Amino acid sequence: MTGVLFDFSGTLFRIESADRWLRAVLAESGLTLPEHEVTSAAAALEAAGALPGGASPRRVPPELAALWEVRDRTAAEHRAAYTGLSRQVPLPDPALHDALYERHMTPGAWTPYPDTADVLRGLRDRGIGVGVVSNIGWDLRPVFRAHGLDPYVDAYVLSYEHGVQKPDPRLFEIACERLGADPVKVLMVGDNRQADGGAAALGCGVHFVDHLPAAERPDALRPVLDLVDRR
């Protein structure tokens, strides 16, 4: 094996909770709401699927359905899809919907899984190329830099930069090319069986992890090192 590709959200990093997300934006905006209104709005935002990287929408409004299917194709579509979901929830200031979207792109909104650094470091020590392949509408590189993980990533292949979403094999093909790796010698690691499973069409191996809060998933990435050592 010469390369390992990783998904971002739910695989290497976990987004903050909807409650923490909303409270951070309210604090930054200088707004104070009664506690019951904060908890109610956070729950409604979560149910709406408004937090990128968080829970999926319980229901996508018909007027957003077509956009939702292509949300990771461009930065504009990503923002429009998620702020559209957010706007299903009444907030005291309409500007909060854009502020929430901006917040989720900050490094402080993301936490690496407990074993992320050790696994990426272990792959670097083994001489294995590492790529991050993400369906996303913004540049996640600053998140890796802020958490000290950028030195372990050789290539970032982000859907909005190529106009292609997983599971389209073209996105994985670009990643393999950037690593200079034959796809049959590459392992794709992700949390979404449909999207990340698209790598199998190229002949890549695929390994799945569960999208759980960081505290509940301390070592799910460690088997990747065993898989690399066995192949």
Side-chain angles (χ1 to χ4, degrees), residues 30 32 41-43 47 83 90 97 111 135-136 178-179 190 196 201 203 211 228-229:
T32 302
T83 56
H97 298 290
T111 300
N135 276 353
I136 199 165
R178 291 193 175 178
L179 294 182
D196 299 313
H211 189 156
V228 168
D229 290 339

Side-chain angles (χ1 to χ4, degrees), residues 113-133:
Y113 280 95
D115 54 350
T116 293
D118 287 345
V119 170
L120 293 181
R121 189 179 303 114
L123 292 171
R124 175 54 55 88
D125 291 344
R126 288 164 171 78
I128 302 296
V130 170
V132 173
V133 184

Side-chain angles (χ1 to χ4, degrees), residues 50 52 64 67 71-72 74-87 97-105 136-138:
L64 293 176
L67 178 62
R71 64 191 179 277
D72 299 308
T74 68
E77 288 166 321
H78 192 270
R79 178 183 286 271
Y82 281 101
T83 56
L85 291 175
S86 175
R87 289 189 174 94
H97 298 290
D98 283 312
L100 285 167
Y101 186 84
E102 294 295 329
R103 164 71 189 180
H104 103 275
M105 296 187 287
I136 199 165
W138 50 277

Side-chain angles (χ1 to χ4, degrees), residues 137-162:
W138 50 277
D139 186 4
L140 53 74
R141 295 171 182 87
V143 175
F144 281 79
R145 288 196 292 268
H147 290 278
L149 298 174
D150 182 65
Y152 304 116
V153 179
D154 301 293
Y156 295 93
V157 179
L158 312 180
S159 61
Y160 84 101
E161 293 182 337
H162 300 278

Side-chain angles (χ1 to χ4, degrees), residues 9-211:
S9 174
T11 300
L12 293 177
F13 282 80
R14 171 76 181 200
I15 190 66
E16 64 189 344
S17 69
D19 185 81
R20 185 172 182 267
W21 179 49
L22 176 59
R23 290 178 189 276
V25 169
L26 290 172
E28 291 167 3
S29 302
L31 292 173
T32 302
L33 298 180
E35 179 63 20
H36 74 279
E37 290 187 18
V38 176
T39 57
S40 176
L45 287 166
E46 182 170 12
L51 174 57
S56 298
R58 293 183 184 174
R59 171 184 173 274
V60 177
E63 67 271 19
L64 293 176
L67 178 62
W68 182 252
E69 292 301 315
V70 297
R71 64 191 179 277
D72 299 308
R73 192 174 57 184
T74 68
E77 288 166 321
H78 192 270
R79 178 183 286 271
Y82 281 101
T83 56
L85 291 175
S86 175
R87 289 189 174 94
Q88 305 299 307
V89 179
L91 295 176
D93 183 348
L96 288 173
H97 298 290
D98 283 312
L100 285 167
Y101 186 84
E102 294 295 329
R103 164 71 189 180
H104 103 275
M105 296 187 287
T106 63
W110 296 90
T111 300
Y113 280 95
D115 54 350
T116 293
D118 287 345
V119 170
L120 293 181
R121 189 179 303 114
L123 292 171
R124 175 54 55 88
D125 291 344
R126 288 164 171 78
I128 302 296
V130 170
V132 173
V133 184
S134 178
N135 276 353
I136 199 165
W138 50 277
D139 186 4
L140 53 74
R141 295 171 182 87
V143 175
F144 281 79
R145 288 196 292 268
H147 290 278
L149 298 174
D150 182 65
Y152 304 116
V153 179
D154 301 293
Y156 295 93
V157 179
L158 312 180
S159 61
Y160 84 101
E161 293 182 337
H162 300 278
V164 177
Q165 301 179 156
K166 295 183 290 185
D168 192 315
R170 288 178 291 173
L171 210 60
F172 304 105
E173 185 175 19
I174 292 168
C176 291
E177 289 175 354
R178 291 193 175 178
L179 294 182
D182 184 335
V184 300
K185 297 182 179 179
V186 170
L187 177 69
M188 175 65 205
V189 182
D191 68 297
N192 187 305
R193 281 162 173 73
Q194 178 182 2
D196 299 313
L202 293 179
C204 298
V206 181
H207 178 72
F208 296 111
V209 295
D210 292 325
H211 189 156

